[in-house]
Amino acid sequence: MEACLAANAAIPSGAIHGRITRARICHIERRNRRTAVYVGHGTEFPELVGFSVRVHLQIALRRKSEFARTVFCRAPFINVTVGREAESGTRFPFLSNAGRKVMTNVSAIVENELCPLLQDTKTPDDVRYFKSEDGNAEGSTVIRAGKDSFQAEHELVKLIAWTVVTEEVTLVECLKLCSLLAERWDVSCGVLQIDFVLESWLHAKLPSGTLDIATIVVMLGPETDSPHFLFEFIQSGPSLVVVLDHVPRKDLVLDTDYQQRFYEAPGLDEIRKLFEEAPNSKPYISPTLFVRSIVSPTAVLYKLNAGTQVDGGGLEEQIETVVYSGSQKMTEAWIESFLTRGSSGCNLEDTLKRDNKIKTFGFEVDLSANLPRLFGKNIADRVVEAFRTGGRIKV
Amino acid sequence: MEAILTASAVIPSAVHDRTTISCRIQRWNRGVCVSRGTECLEVVGFREKVCLPSRISVRRCGLARAVVHRAGIVNLTVGRVAEEGTPFPFLSNAGRKVMTNVSTILEKELSPLLQHSKIPDDVRHFKSEDGTAEGSVVIRAGKDSSQIDFVLESWLHATLPFGTLDIATFAVMLGPETDSPHFLFEFIQSGPSLVVVLDHLPRKDLVLDTDYRQRFYEAPGLDEIRKRFEEAPNSKPYISSVLFIRSVVSPTAVLYKLNAGTQVDGGGLEEQIETVVYPGSQKMIEAWIESFLTRGSSVSNVEDTLRRDKKIKTFAIEVDLAANLPRLFGQSIADRIVEAFRTEGRIKV
């Protein structure tokens, strides 16, 4: 015999929209007796009511239907153990609300501005989502390569052809249109060339607690000397490490104009100061010397702690106020640098060499630092391979 | 009528040997102010026997004797007078020990490679017109066959509205014959806080040349030295307000600000200087000497290295020296010092 129960349950903080994979209803008050009912999987949150959720369950009951109806009315105590299952396509599914807002905000800004310049992702499905064998760790890496001028030209040709066919233009008009379009494409595609945009997240349950790493990286090609963009959000337990930077393409000691152009004029140090002056924040000194040498002088490298408040509530607040606005400002400043302050690289070879170093010793090492021990060698190799081949410029 | 008074007084910490003392001696029930240039004759632990040689006029003889017995409370206002030739004369004992230790090590290892200093006397020691600031800059150029450009040793002392400022600096810059890093040590004390800058300045872009980083920063284990400062009590990272400084230093640079902590009398800071800064600076200079003598190799691109070194020197002149010296010492002294800096090294700027 089956009965449908609906009850309100309080969502533990930090839970997400999605599925309850395991809901255990612990005592349901029934007349005067309590029964523990264990319920299986795949139950959905149909609606979120404030901080409660209405749970619809199908449970097997031994007794008679009338009893079921009683149960239905009197199911006030529900302990909902929320398992977190990443849904394909849910972005940053394991972060808290505040953390996810931060990451999706930055992701949206980057997406908005750069979408026309990016190809569709060719990342294989088993890199777009992967899970360790023991189920303790999950992750996702999505890489979108920038369009190259060949593709841009290809699209330009398609656009012209379509215009000619549909608009029935004369030859003269067609030529004029061609040159206009070519000019526009040249401006938007010839100079502003992206290598790739990477978005990834990792979630792992470790003996010491949970670890969440969310990353957004934009690397540019040698056609422009604008800095790369790096954003890492690393939360483990009650502390959060934020890495936010415009990664320089040149030796700043040798090229003081570069420093002036991309770091002093845009006032990036003000953004760093926001983090410096936040309560419970202290500078984060990376254990890897290479990471210390690639970041810029105005890099945000800070560790925020929950402070003395219970529940990590203090940290959520920090994320909403400091990290959200700081990351937004930094991303917007980066977009502006990318669109308006870059100039054509004069030394393509050197720039390529340097970028390769950053890719291999910086980002690749960063990615593969955690992957093998959390996911095993197979998955780690797959992800690193996707990283190596996913950009416009191969390593 | 005259009387000789002696009394013991507790010395405030951070006083060094030669001081002028003005004392106020409590007598019976009334206070008598005695201001004098009296010397500390002997330091007895943390107490000092102060002899005020005569010249107090006292009204009654008997009272003078009573004063001798009852000269218990002495407020010492310590003035500091620099003696000609004393190295780092305005630093506290602990600070001076640190700086002279580094100086001695440098002297021992590099002396055969250096020419005599040709610094004019008025740069070797200078004083501002109003007397509130004093300083010294000594530069020794490297011999032609050495790989050294110059060794600089300097100190500044200024009495400012908010307190005193002491800056002591060591810098060794190398020529393009070797790719070994430069050496920089700055000891900046103002009031109860001390900023320490200790580094092997890289000659190359560390992103492009990962072998350089391995050779000069990872293999010698320089990060261990930095960690001691990081883990010291009351220390926090020092983030320079000048972006260039942030980019010129290495990834293992010691850039820390130490504070006196909650102890009165700045006693805590003196202890930090002795236990953290002294060994840390010694390790750093010894590691630098070793890198210089054993790990350098010839430079592949001399022009680039020269250009880079020139940038560092120009920056030091234009931003560091030229910004601070004129307001402390006036334009003419500042110009003299900048000129010395430009011309006294083996490689002219």
Side-chain angles (χ1 to χ4, degrees):
Chain A
M1 194 169 15
E2 281 177 311
C4 286
L5 301 172
N8 289 339
I11 311 280
S13 75
I16 51 153
H17 310 270
R19 291 164 189 267
I20 302 180
T21 52
R22 270 176 290 283
R24 192 173 104 170
I25 301 188
C26 295
H27 32 267
I28 296 179
E29 194 101 29
R30 239 190 353 170
R31 295 231 175 115
N32 297 318
R33 279 193 292 174
R34 296 173 177 190
T35 313
V37 179
Y38 295 83
V39 182
H41 351 230
T43 15
E44 286 178 288
F45 293 94
E47 41 177 298
L48 217 51
V49 179
F51 287 101
S52 305
V53 66
R54 277 187 97 68
V55 179
H56 295 259
L57 303 160
Q58 290 191 301
I59 52 173
L61 291 179
R62 280 179 234 156
R63 314 265 178 107
K64 294 175 282 190
S65 359
E66 308 91 286
F67 183 76
R69 284 191 291 269
T70 313
V71 171
F72 180 86
C73 300
R74 299 278 300 272
F77 303 107
I78 294 184
N79 257 356
V80 176
T81 315
V82 182
R84 292 174 184 182
E85 195 182 273
E87 247 189 46
S88 215
T90 310
R91 287 171 136 177
F92 308 103
F94 289 93
L95 297 181
S96 62
N97 274 337
R100 198 178 325 114
K101 275 200 195 119
V102 167
M103 298 311 290
T104 47
N105 182 41
V106 170
S107 176
I109 298 173
V110 168
E111 181 84 12
N112 276 340
E113 298 288 345
L114 303 186
C115 203
L117 306 172
L118 298 173
Q119 308 177 28
D120 287 324
T121 178
K122 296 196 207 74
T123 311
D125 282 342
D126 57 5
V127 173
R128 295 181 73 174
Y129 176 74
F130 46 87
K131 192 167 179 171
S132 69
E133 274 184 29
D134 58 9
N136 281 332
E138 290 175 59
S140 158
T141 302
V142 178
I143 299 172
R144 295 181 66 182
K147 284 180 180 155
D148 60 30
S149 46
F150 173 74
Q151 282 159 328
E153 274 169 28
H154 186 66
E155 294 203 17
L156 177 60
V157 167
K158 273 193 341 202
L159 180 61
I160 294 175
W162 181 85
T163 320
V164 166
V165 163
T166 56
E167 312 273 318
E168 294 177 348
V169 294
T170 67
L171 184 61
V172 173
E173 283 169 340
C174 174
L175 287 172
K176 251 199 272 183
L177 187 61
C178 282
S179 65
L180 259 176
L181 286 171
E183 215 179 87
R184 242 186 31 220
W185 275 110
D186 201 45
V187 167
S188 68
C189 288
V191 178
L192 310 178
Q193 298 253 24
I194 301 174
D195 185 4
F196 64 81
V197 172
L198 174 147
E199 199 176 289
S200 88
W201 58 264
L202 287 187
H203 172 79
K205 290 200 231 341
L206 303 165
S208 50
T210 51
L211 172 66
D212 283 283
I213 305 179
T215 312
I216 296 179
V217 175
V218 184
M219 276 198 79
L220 302 178
E223 298 81 1
T224 173
D225 66 355
S226 223
H228 303 304
F229 177 73
L230 169 63
F231 181 24
E232 287 216 59
F233 183 102
I234 308 166
Q235 187 163 11
S236 58
S239 74
L240 168 69
V241 170
V242 176
V243 178
L244 244 187
D245 194 30
H246 297 191
V247 177
R249 313 293 288 288
K250 292 201 181 158
D251 179 4
L252 295 177
V253 175
L254 215 38
D255 196 333
T256 41
D257 160 74
Y258 191 91
Q259 186 172 274
Q260 160 63 25
R261 196 165 24 125
F262 288 110
Y263 300 97
E264 289 174 23
L268 295 186
D269 210 39
E270 299 310 313
I271 305 178
R272 187 196 59 78
K273 284 204 185 117
L274 283 176
F275 285 85
E276 183 179 49
E277 290 157 8
N280 296 313
S281 98
K282 60 177 208 167
Y284 167 71
I285 299 177
S286 166
T288 325
L289 294 198
F290 189 74
V291 171
R292 294 186 214 171
S293 29
I294 62 170
V295 291
S296 73
T298 53
V300 171
L301 282 152
Y302 284 91
K303 187 166 186 165
L304 302 170
N305 281 297
T308 46
Q309 281 159 292
V310 205
D311 244 11
L315 190 57
E316 285 294 280
E317 212 182 296
Q318 297 261 59
I319 297 176
E320 275 172 17
T321 49
V322 177
V323 184
Y324 187 91
S325 56
S327 58
Q328 174 156 318
K329 287 193 170 76
M330 194 64 110
T331 314
E332 288 171 346
W334 180 81
I335 299 275
E336 206 183 320
S337 284
F338 172 58
L339 293 177
T340 64
R341 296 190 190 100
S343 54
S344 335
C346 38
N347 198 334
L348 252 57
E349 242 188 67
D350 264 359
T351 313
L352 263 174
K353 249 204 304 179
R354 209 172 183 282
D355 288 343
N356 264 344
K357 294 267 176 177
I358 297 178
K359 252 191 266 193
T360 39
F361 290 93
F363 300 139
E364 197 180 299
V365 165
D366 202 36
L367 273 182
S368 48
N370 292 311
L371 293 176
R373 66 181 173 95
L374 293 175
F375 295 97
K377 195 149 176 12
N378 276 335
I379 295 181
D381 287 344
R382 274 202 319 250
V383 175
V384 170
E385 186 60 24
F387 178 75
R388 282 221 181 99
T389 54
R392 178 170 59 90
I393 297 162
K394 313 299 173 204
V395 176
Chain B
M1 193 168 18
E2 281 174 320
I4 296 186
L5 305 170
T6 55
S8 292
V10 178
I11 311 280
S13 75
V15 171
H16 71 88
D17 302 348
R18 315 294 303 262
T19 61
T20 57
I21 299 178
S22 52
C23 306
R24 195 171 121 148
I25 300 178
Q26 186 112 19
R27 183 176 72 134
W28 287 92
N29 299 317
R30 281 191 289 171
V32 168
C33 284
V34 180
S35 301
R36 197 126 318 247
T38 17
E39 284 179 295
C40 299
L41 293 183
E42 41 178 298
V43 182
V44 180
F46 286 103
R47 292 176 165 279
E48 175 138 332
K49 277 186 103 57
V50 178
C51 289
L52 303 166
S54 67
R55 281 182 218 89
I56 290 191
S57 60
V58 181
R59 279 177 230 153
R60 283 174 294 172
C61 218
L63 191 56
R65 282 191 293 267
V67 172
V68 169
H69 291 289
R70 295 283 297 273
I73 304 166
V74 179
N75 258 356
L76 294 182
T77 314
V78 182
R80 294 176 181 182
V81 173
E83 247 193 45
E84 198 69 34
T86 314
F88 306 101
F90 288 95
L91 296 183
S92 63
N93 273 338
R96 195 175 331 114
K97 277 203 193 115
V98 168
M99 300 312 284
T100 46
N101 182 39
V102 172
S103 175
T104 314
I105 296 175
L106 276 177
E107 184 76 19
K108 202 170 61 145
E109 300 286 345
L110 302 185
S111 204
L113 303 171
L114 299 175
Q115 307 178 25
H116 288 306
S117 170
K118 298 195 205 75
I119 285 279
D121 282 339
D122 58 6
V123 174
R124 195 184 286 264
H125 181 256
F126 47 87
K127 195 166 177 171
S128 69
E129 275 185 27
D130 58 7
T132 52
E134 271 184 64
S136 159
V137 175
V138 178
I139 299 175
R140 297 180 64 180
K143 290 183 177 151
D144 280 330
S145 54
S146 74
Q147 294 162 332
I148 301 175
D149 185 359
F150 64 81
V151 172
L152 174 147
E153 194 179 300
S154 86
W155 59 263
L156 290 187
H157 172 78
T159 314
L160 300 168
F162 55 80
T164 51
L165 172 66
D166 284 282
I167 305 179
T169 311
F170 274 112
V172 185
M173 280 198 76
L174 302 177
E177 300 84 3
T178 174
D179 67 353
S180 223
H182 304 304
F183 177 72
L184 174 64
F185 180 23
E186 290 218 51
F187 183 102
I188 307 166
Q189 187 164 11
S190 60
S193 74
L194 168 69
V195 170
V196 176
V197 179
L198 246 186
D199 195 27
H200 298 191
L201 299 180
R203 311 292 291 287
K204 289 194 183 167
D205 179 5
L206 292 177
V207 177
L208 215 37
D209 195 334
T210 43
D211 160 73
Y212 192 90
R213 193 189 73 235
Q214 159 64 23
R215 196 164 25 123
F216 288 110
Y217 299 100
E218 287 174 19
L222 295 186
D223 210 39
E224 299 310 313
I225 305 178
R226 186 197 61 78
K227 282 203 184 118
R228 294 170 119 250
F229 283 86
E230 183 179 0
E231 289 157 8
N234 295 313
S235 99
K236 60 178 209 167
Y238 167 69
I239 299 178
S240 167
S241 53
V242 181
L243 295 196
F244 187 82
I245 293 182
R246 298 186 209 171
S247 30
V248 90
V249 292
S250 74
T252 53
V254 170
L255 281 151
Y256 284 90
K257 187 167 187 164
L258 302 170
N259 282 297
T262 46
Q263 281 159 291
V264 205
D265 251 10
L269 191 57
E270 282 298 277
E271 213 184 296
Q272 297 265 60
I273 297 176
E274 274 166 34
T275 52
V276 178
V277 184
Y278 187 96
S281 58
Q282 173 157 319
K283 286 195 168 73
M284 195 64 108
I285 182 69
E286 286 171 346
W288 181 83
I289 301 272
E290 206 184 321
S291 285
F292 170 58
L293 294 178
T294 65
R295 296 189 191 102
S297 53
S298 36
V299 168
S300 44
N301 194 335
V302 175
E303 241 187 66
D304 263 359
T305 309
L306 271 171
R307 219 164 22 122
R308 210 170 182 282
D309 290 342
K310 188 168 173 183
K311 287 264 177 179
I312 299 177
K313 267 190 260 190
T314 322
F315 167 80
I317 296 176
E318 284 168 13
V319 180
D320 205 19
L321 296 176
N324 292 314
L325 292 178
R327 69 184 169 89
L328 291 175
F329 295 99
Q331 195 58 45
S332 58
I333 294 182
D335 288 344
R336 278 201 315 254
I337 297 168
V338 169
E339 186 57 25
F341 192 79
R342 280 220 173 92
T343 54
E344 290 300 324
R346 178 165 62 90
I347 299 162
K348 316 297 174 206
V349 178

Short mmCIF file of all heavy atoms in Angstrom, two decimals, chain A residues 42 61 106 119-120 203 213 291 301 312:
data_model
loop_
_atom_site.label_atom_id
_atom_site.label_comp_id
_atom_site.label_asym_id
_atom_site.label_seq_id
_atom_site.Cartn_x
_atom_site.Cartn_y
_atom_site.Cartn_z
N GLY A 42 15.67 9.72 -5.20
CA GLY A 42 15.12 10.42 -6.36
C GLY A 42 13.90 11.24 -6.05
O GLY A 42 13.06 11.46 -6.88
N LEU A 61 3.38 1.53 3.15
CA LEU A 61 2.84 1.46 4.49
C LEU A 61 2.25 0.08 4.73
O LEU A 61 1.74 -0.55 3.82
CB LEU A 61 1.72 2.48 4.69
CG LEU A 61 2.12 3.94 4.70
CD1 LEU A 61 0.89 4.76 4.88
CD2 LEU A 61 3.11 4.20 5.81
N VAL A 106 30.53 36.15 -12.29
CA VAL A 106 31.75 36.35 -13.08
C VAL A 106 31.63 35.61 -14.40
O VAL A 106 31.97 36.13 -15.47
CB VAL A 106 32.98 35.85 -12.28
CG1 VAL A 106 34.20 35.81 -13.15
CG2 VAL A 106 33.22 36.75 -11.09
N GLN A 119 34.43 29.68 -29.74
CA GLN A 119 33.79 28.54 -30.39
C GLN A 119 32.97 27.79 -29.36
O GLN A 119 33.10 28.02 -28.17
CB GLN A 119 34.85 27.58 -30.93
CG GLN A 119 35.91 28.19 -31.78
CD GLN A 119 36.94 27.15 -32.17
OE1 GLN A 119 36.63 25.96 -32.26
NE2 GLN A 119 38.15 27.57 -32.43
N ASP A 120 32.17 26.86 -29.85
CA ASP A 120 31.48 25.98 -28.91
C ASP A 120 32.50 25.05 -28.28
O ASP A 120 33.52 24.74 -28.87
CB ASP A 120 30.41 25.15 -29.63
CG ASP A 120 29.23 26.02 -30.00
OD1 ASP A 120 28.91 26.92 -29.20
OD2 ASP A 120 28.67 25.80 -31.08
N HIS A 203 34.72 19.13 -6.25
CA HIS A 203 34.16 19.00 -4.91
C HIS A 203 34.65 17.69 -4.35
O HIS A 203 34.55 16.65 -5.02
CB HIS A 203 32.63 19.01 -4.99
CG HIS A 203 31.97 18.67 -3.69
ND1 HIS A 203 31.84 19.57 -2.66
CD2 HIS A 203 31.42 17.52 -3.24
CE1 HIS A 203 31.23 19.00 -1.64
NE2 HIS A 203 30.96 17.75 -1.96
N ILE A 213 36.75 23.69 -5.05
CA ILE A 213 37.59 24.60 -5.82
C ILE A 213 36.84 24.99 -7.08
O ILE A 213 36.46 24.13 -7.87
CB ILE A 213 38.92 23.95 -6.23
CG1 ILE A 213 39.66 23.42 -5.00
CG2 ILE A 213 39.79 24.94 -6.97
CD1 ILE A 213 40.96 22.74 -5.32
N VAL A 291 53.68 30.09 -8.86
CA VAL A 291 52.45 30.88 -8.78
C VAL A 291 52.76 32.27 -8.24
O VAL A 291 52.22 33.27 -8.72
CB VAL A 291 51.41 30.17 -7.88
CG1 VAL A 291 50.22 31.07 -7.60
CG2 VAL A 291 50.95 28.89 -8.54
N LEU A 301 45.30 37.97 -3.34
CA LEU A 301 45.66 36.63 -2.85
C LEU A 301 45.37 36.63 -1.37
O LEU A 301 46.24 36.92 -0.56
CB LEU A 301 47.15 36.35 -3.09
CG LEU A 301 47.55 35.97 -4.51
CD1 LEU A 301 48.96 36.37 -4.80
CD2 LEU A 301 47.39 34.48 -4.72
N GLY A 312 29.65 29.29 10.10
CA GLY A 312 30.28 29.91 8.94
C GLY A 312 29.43 31.01 8.38
O GLY A 312 29.59 31.43 7.24
#
